[in-house]
């Protein structure tokens, strides 16, 4: 599977200068030519990409997580996390699923990816994982407290209005709301989240 | 009207150190105590807030804009822009509406505000403006090309699936989709976007 990284809506030009390198954020500045020919300093941020995985259990339930992180309220979402430097998105998805749930998956499909913030170059990759096999216990780092939360597709579709939901990408919310309101869209999701046949 | 700034989902603690100050982004770092008592450097960004205004014309149409900015594809959205340092959200909304459209408004209502990104403290305030009066021409800066685009509420509700739409806040998309799919939600929007009575 070749995964392309989507272009941000305001790409940082190649001649931009990195003026700050941090743990998560790098900041770039460049001289931007304006419509009247004058020049202004523009600024953009690059941020470590994220992966979110919706893993489908053999019984068809979707494996969500209830997570606590230091300094952040409890939230419900998929498994997932940050893509490490030099790591590709699929490798990160496999690693995060295993670390956070103890599962490996036969099949990973990219549902979609998105890079949609103004002035922040940040891609979130959303994967569907199928053919799950439990091979270990969770292996959480000191900044994670995670409880596994399997839900049905109907339960998932009804989640967008909940306040404790955090799916890292608003496009997911949009797709779930569409599926709630359109039988056709719901059937597409049923197909997408169908467990592997034996 | 007292406008409260919503808390980000991961607040930057008061003892955090500003390690970078840019044109749009400031970066903060702090030692975060993890669940096992160890400490790790956490990082968060603060970004200049934005306002978006949906201005309702006397005929009930909603004043959108088609905008071009250097290095960014053409997009459709409300009027609006960045809140300047020291400026409050309402003042910014009045200023941006006037600059981008030449209109002043009798009535500004905060529809909602949101601060919903992980690790980025950035609030977007969404206003509805009514009782419009054209007092001048647009006064655009060198980084803006703007065409006014009045649309009906029905047209607005059908916009979320278009690729050139950028509403700065995904919550708007969500509300429009809900209104498309629920008569009750649509009536709420009709009420909200009703022009002032004479």
């Amino acid at each position: 599977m070749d995964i392309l990284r989507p272009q941000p809506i305001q790409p940082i030009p190649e001649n931009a200068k990195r003026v700050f390198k941090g743990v998560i954020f790098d900041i770039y500045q460049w001289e931007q030519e304006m419509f009247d020919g004058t020049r202004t300093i523009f600024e953009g941020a690059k941020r470590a990409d994220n992966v979110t995985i919706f893993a489908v259990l053999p019984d068809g339930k979707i494996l969500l997580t209830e997570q606590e992180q230091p300094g952040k309220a409890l939230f419900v979402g998929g498994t997932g996390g940050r893509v490490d430097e030099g790591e590709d998105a699929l490798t990160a998805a496999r690693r995060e699923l295993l670390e956070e749930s103890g599962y490996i998956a036969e099949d990973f499909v990219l549902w979609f990816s998105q890079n949609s913030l103004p002035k922040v170059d940040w891609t979130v990759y959303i994967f569907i994982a199928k053919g799950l096999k439990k091979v270990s216990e969770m292996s959480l780092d000191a900044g994670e407290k995670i409880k596994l939360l399997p839900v049905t597709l109907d339960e998932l579709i009804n989640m967008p209005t909940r306040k404790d939901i955090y799916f890292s990408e608003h496009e997911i919310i949009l797709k779930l709301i569409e599926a709630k309101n359109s039988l056709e869209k719901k059937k597409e999701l049923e197909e997408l989240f169908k467990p592997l046949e034996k």
Side-chain angles (χ1 to χ4, degrees), chain A:
Chain A
M1 179 167 44
D2 235 27
I3 296 175
L4 291 178
R5 190 170 185 279
Q7 275 293 304
I9 57 176
Q10 285 168 295
I12 294 170
E14 281 190 21
N15 64 342
K17 197 182 150 194
R18 190 175 68 201
V19 292
F20 174 78
K21 180 167 175 54
V23 183
I24 297 174
F25 294 95
D26 292 345
I27 308 289
Y28 289 79
Q29 290 181 345
W30 66 97
E31 272 206 345
Q32 176 73 48
E33 184 171 342
M34 307 301 268
F35 292 126
D36 64 356
T38 59
R39 302 177 84 83
T40 300
I41 297 292
F42 267 37
E43 190 173 274
K46 275 193 192 174
R47 170 174 175 176
D49 290 338
N50 273 63
V51 289
T52 295
I53 307 105
F54 291 95
V56 183
L57 294 164
D59 66 1
K61 284 200 174 172
I62 298 148
L63 192 64
L64 299 186
T65 58
E66 205 175 79
Q67 301 208 25
E68 221 180 316
Q69 291 173 9
K72 190 173 167 182
L74 190 100
F75 65 99
V76 170
T79 47
R82 212 178 300 161
V83 178
D84 289 336
E85 220 172 315
E87 193 181 36
D88 66 76
L90 181 58
T91 306
R94 290 189 191 281
R95 177 181 54 70
E96 287 288 348
L97 176 64
L98 181 61
E99 285 174 9
E100 293 193 350
S101 75
Y103 280 94
I104 56 171
E106 203 173 310
D107 233 39
F108 272 83
V109 178
L110 182 71
W111 184 8
F112 65 92
S113 60
Q114 209 172 16
N115 193 335
S116 65
L117 291 177
K119 300 192 199 307
V120 184
D121 182 357
W122 180 48
T123 295
V124 180
Y125 299 89
I126 318 289
F127 290 91
I128 315 267
K130 296 182 182 182
L132 293 198
K133 205 172 129 190
K134 184 102 178 172
V135 296
S136 64
E137 293 311 305
M138 289 175 190
S139 127
L140 304 179
D141 70 38
E144 294 174 316
K145 276 188 188 173
I146 295 184
K147 214 173 87 180
L148 296 180
L149 185 73
V151 300
T152 63
L153 182 59
D154 276 323
E155 285 168 333
L156 182 63
I157 285 171
N158 280 294
M159 282 187 159
T161 49
R162 280 172 52 171
K163 283 293 167 210
D164 60 343
I165 291 297
Y166 177 67
F167 281 142
S168 73
E169 241 319 317
H170 66 264
E171 188 72 20
I172 298 176
I173 303 280
L174 207 145
K175 287 180 194 293
L176 295 179
I177 292 179
E178 281 179 339
K180 192 175 173 175
N181 290 295
S182 145
L183 206 60
E184 191 194 329
K185 295 283 181 190
K186 190 175 171 191
K187 281 194 176 144
E188 283 175 27
L189 286 199
E190 280 169 354
E191 193 56 36
L192 193 67
F193 285 101
K194 200 167 65 176
L196 282 194
E197 283 172 37
K198 299 284 149 194

